[in-house]
Amino acid sequence: MNHLTAGQRALLQSELQSRQKQLDMRLAAHHGGVSRAEHAHELLEQDGDDAPQRDNARELDLALSDLETQELGAVSQALLRLQDGQYGSCVGCDADIAFDRLRAQPWALRCVACQATHETLASVPAG
Ligand SMILES: [Zn+2]
């Protein structure tokens, strides 16, 4: 069923839960109640002298929250997989993901090999 011991799973689960809370809070702070569409709209309308600098800050902000949104998705998925006992198996090839890897990155859903393939595919521009 699973190569992880109950103790290892419990440890990773608590890591995931605290990471999930942290990301939730950070994303809430980032957005500050402003939707992404409004955010983008503001960017388009900014033409003032100090706009370039602010644009950079905002782009960085958006890029950051993109990453965090992705990570939050992975964390939630990992928690779900913990519940149904699939946690620790690669979603790509079903191999066991090493505990060391999970400790470094509890939300890892793929083994190292599948992750590399996935990232290569993801970095190819669509269209
Ligand atoms: Zn794999």
Side-chain angles (χ1 to χ4, degrees):
M1 299 248 306
N2 206 293
H3 67 296
L4 298 170
T5 67
Q8 285 172 334
R9 276 207 304 275
L11 176 77
L12 293 168
Q13 183 173 20
S14 71
E15 298 258 328
L16 283 166
Q17 281 165 345
S18 62
R19 188 72 189 152
Q20 191 179 38
K21 264 188 214 146
Q22 206 180 10
L23 285 168
D24 265 346
M25 273 163 44
R26 280 169 64 171
L27 282 169
H30 267 315
H31 290 298
V34 181
S35 78
R36 305 224 18 185
E38 281 173 78
H39 227 83
H41 193 64
E42 271 180 64
L43 268 181
L44 287 174
E45 295 206 324
Q46 271 171 13
D47 245 344
D49 310 327
D50 60 342
Q53 214 183 349
R54 255 191 304 168
D55 281 359
N56 283 342
R58 288 200 163 215
E59 268 165 36
L60 185 69
D61 202 50
L62 283 179
L64 256 182
S65 61
D66 263 355
L67 271 181
E68 285 172 348
T69 306
Q70 271 176 27
E71 194 181 322
L72 186 60
V75 168
S76 313
Q77 209 177 333
L79 282 166
L80 281 176
R81 289 172 68 83
L82 259 171
Q83 276 171 16
D84 60 25
Q86 294 183 309
Y87 181 76
S89 299
C90 173
V91 296
C93 67
D94 220 26
D96 291 345
I97 302 173
F99 178 62
D100 280 351
R101 172 163 166 72
L102 291 170
R103 256 185 72 166
Q105 210 176 54
W107 52 90
L109 298 174
R110 295 175 180 82
C111 69
V112 178
C114 289
Q115 186 65 40
T117 312
H118 181 73
E119 276 166 16
T120 310
L121 289 178
S123 66
V124 175

